[in-house]
């Protein structure tokens, strides 16, 4: 006969109920400007309009950069394709830089800084190509850096969108990205016309002006999006019933305080406003 050890009744049974997080109305209405016209509910609208304007500007010239390098800089097709092999690497590197920078100055501030740099580099390209120099050893590095800088803020845009849009509405806003893509393609017609009539440098300047104007929209996010990226109680919605079930489970199964803090997503959260 084999002795079976008695079960330890003090051992917790099952898993604690999950506490659901969501963006609350209180959090979205916490900050208000312009007599209530500008609140955190405005964040996705502002972000979409800013990205749309940027996409319209980019579409005017992106499709014509290969022709610019071939016809104006006199590069071979192989050399042009090498540029577009290097550009994705630059995007990855600058994305890492952007992620690091945003921890010091904030997400919106980083987006604006990167776009200012990108617009400045595009203007520099236009000025240089308009009679100063068309050396590929100067223009190509400027273009690669400019492409990396302008496209490295996508993760930051997504982060802001996820933080300020309720979960059930996120799919709707993600689907609107196709509208921006359509505008990107549509503006290529205008860019082609300007390029034929006035040359590539003039088109670059117009593109820079359009992209620069998107900064005016992005600046509206400055008072709405916190600099310090941290979860706080105002952005978490946990029903009283769910919290009572969670506490009851913890007490009945004798979870220690340190274990409770690990399982409870609302514990240890700074409730102070982090708007700076």
């Amino acid at each position: 006969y084999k002795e079976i050890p008695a079960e330890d009744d003090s051992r917790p049974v099952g898993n604690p109920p999950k506490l659901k997080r969501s963006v609350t109305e209180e959090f979205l209405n916490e900050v208000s400007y312009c007599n209530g016209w500008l609140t955190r509910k405005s964040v996705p609208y502002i972000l979409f309009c800013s990205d749309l304007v940027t996409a319209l500007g980019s579409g005017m010239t992106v499709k014509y950069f290969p022709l610019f390098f071939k016809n104006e800089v006199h590069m071979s097709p192989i050399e042009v394709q090498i540029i577009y092999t290097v550009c994705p690497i630059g995007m990855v590197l600058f994305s890492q830089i952007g992620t690091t920078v945003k921890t010091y100055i904030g997400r919106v501030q980083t987006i604006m800084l990167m776009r200012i740099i990108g617009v400045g580099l595009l203007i520099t390209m236009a000025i240089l190509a308009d009679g100063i120099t068309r050396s590929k050893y100067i223009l190509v590095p400027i273009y690669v850096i400019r492409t990396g800088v302008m496209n490295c803020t996508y993760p930051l845009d997504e982060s802001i969108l996820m933080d300020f849009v309720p979960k059930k509405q996120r799919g709707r806003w993600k689907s609107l990205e196709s509208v921006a893509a359509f505008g990107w393609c549509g503006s290529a017609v205008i860019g082609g016309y300007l390029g034929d009539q006035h040359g590539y440098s003039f088109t670059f300047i117009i593109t820079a002006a359009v992209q620069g104007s998107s900064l005016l929209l992005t600046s509206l996010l400055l008072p709405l999006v916190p600099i310090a990226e941290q979860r706080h109680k105002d952005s978490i919605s946990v029903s009283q019933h769910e919290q009572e079930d969670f506490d009851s489970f913890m007490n009945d199964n004798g979870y220690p305080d340190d274990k409770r803090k690990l399982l409870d997503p609302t514990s240890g959260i700074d409730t102070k406003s982090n708007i700076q």
Side-chain angles (χ1 to χ4, degrees), residues 207-225:
T207 295
V210 174
Q211 292 179 334
S213 66
S214 71
L215 291 170
L216 298 176
L217 291 170
T218 307
S219 65
L220 297 177
L221 297 173
L222 290 173
L224 301 176
V225 179

Side-chain angles (χ1 to χ4, degrees), residues 46-55 58 107-123 146 148-158 160 207-208 210-219 221:
I46 297 171
L47 202 59
F48 169 73
C49 292
S50 175
D51 289 345
L52 178 60
V53 173
T54 302
S58 298
R107 289 174 290 181
V108 176
Q109 290 80 357
T110 301
I111 291 172
M112 294 185 67
L113 174 63
M114 293 300 177
R115 288 184 180 174
I116 289 172
I117 294 174
V119 169
L121 290 174
L122 185 58
I123 293 175
R146 176 259 170 201
V149 167
M150 288 297 294
N151 292 278
C152 75
T153 60
Y154 179 78
L156 302 181
D157 286 348
E158 290 294 295
I160 295 173
T207 295
V210 174
Q211 292 179 334
S213 66
S214 71
L215 291 170
L216 298 176
L217 291 170
T218 307
S219 65
L221 297 173

Side-chain angles (χ1 to χ4, degrees), residues 100-157:
T100 302
V101 172
K102 63 98 175 175
T103 60
Y104 294 98
I105 65 175
R107 289 174 290 181
V108 176
Q109 290 80 357
T110 301
I111 291 172
M112 294 185 67
L113 174 63
M114 293 300 177
R115 288 184 180 174
I116 289 172
I117 294 174
V119 169
L121 290 174
L122 185 58
I123 293 175
T124 301
M125 277 190 66
I127 294 174
L128 291 175
D130 197 33
I132 297 178
T133 180
R134 293 184 179 178
S135 171
K136 61 185 178 182
Y137 300 106
I138 296 177
L139 295 179
V140 170
I142 293 176
Y143 172 75
V144 172
I145 295 173
R146 176 259 170 201
T147 302
V149 167
M150 288 297 294
N151 292 278
C152 75
T153 60
Y154 179 78
L156 302 181
D157 286 348

